[in-house]
Amino acid sequence: MQIIERVQEMSRWSEAQRRDGRRIAFVPTMGFLHEAHLCLVRDGKKRGDRVVVSIFVNPKQFAPSEDFAAYPRDFGRDRALLEGESIDVLFHPSADEIYPVDFLTQVSVDKLGLFLCAPQRPGHFQGVATVIAKLFNIVRPHVAIFGEKDYQQLQVIRRLVRDLNFDIEIVGHPIVRAADGLAISSRNVYLNPEERQAALCLSRSLARAACMVKMGETRGRVITAAVRAEIEKEPLAKVEYITLCDSATLETIAELGEAALLALAVRIGKTRLIDNRILKPVR
Ligand code: AMP
């Protein structure tokens, strides 16, 4: 595995691979790797002849009140995990390398950046779209893999790629969960044992919604109220939003007519967790 820190070197490597007719799969991450990241990497290995993983904690996607400085980092461990997966390149640029002092451009995906997590995280999806556009131009992948846990991010990237004509296939990887149902996340390390237990209310409430839909419920208001009630049984949990929405536009829907996204964000103590599930009405 090669470790590349410089933008130019990364671009040169990719250009050489492309010239040789190799298909490049790309998995962007913010590091502190866990099993879900490794699942994306394995998916990438099946889809490309070469795999590039980036580790970059992107300052532009954190609001000033958020955990940029505290975001968990362990480069040595990440490197060892990626060696174990036999990837080709670990791209690990510094913030100065990605954002030189005279950097001015912002990429903004209108509308999609207004729903779900956006009101609580001003500038977040602009930061994501900006860094992903840059990384795509530097790494020049044929295919890029993103997790469905960050469903809104995935939709923002799909739209970015379509609107700006990036010739890149975007793959959404299903949510990877711990055995007890909690969606795996780098932020789970913030949870103490009691909070870790309390966090199960997210996946439990989504399962409850799926169950209701299976029994024929289609009213958005009824489904989201039941999800809220399930979460509010947990004293350590504080709901930020619970939304049933169109899985492409992310606009709230009142009635489940076809498959739709049920997405939620919940604070467990100080830790903000997200989860989601696609609900399909019975016909
Ligand atoms: P992050 O390092 O948190 O930016 O995540 C890097 C990639 O891994 C993103 O595409 C995430 O959506 C994806 N990811 C993180 N956790 C999960 C999970 N539990 N299941 C599926 N994908 C995930």
Side-chain angles (χ1 to χ4, degrees), residues 9 16 25 53 58 72 74 105 121 130 136 139 151 157 178-179 183 189 191 203 215 218 241 250 255 259 273 276 279:
E9 193 187 339
V53 176
N58 175 31
D74 189 342
T105 303
R121 307 196 68 187
T130 303
F136 280 175
V139 176
Y151 197 96
I157 291 160
V189 293
L191 303 169
S203 54
M215 304 292 283
T218 56
Y241 69 79
L250 307 182
E255 189 77 28
L273 299 177
N276 69 76
L279 299 179

Side-chain angles (χ1 to χ4, degrees), residues 27-31 34 36-37 40 61 71 145-150 153 173-177 183-186:
V27 181
T29 82
M30 296 205 300
H34 48 60
H37 292 117
L40 268 62
Q61 70 188 67
Y71 194 82
I145 299 105
F146 293 86
E148 288 177 354
K149 182 173 88 69
D150 300 279
Q153 167 174 288
H173 189 92
I175 300 179
V176 181
R177 298 180 181 279
I184 298 175
S185 163
S186 304

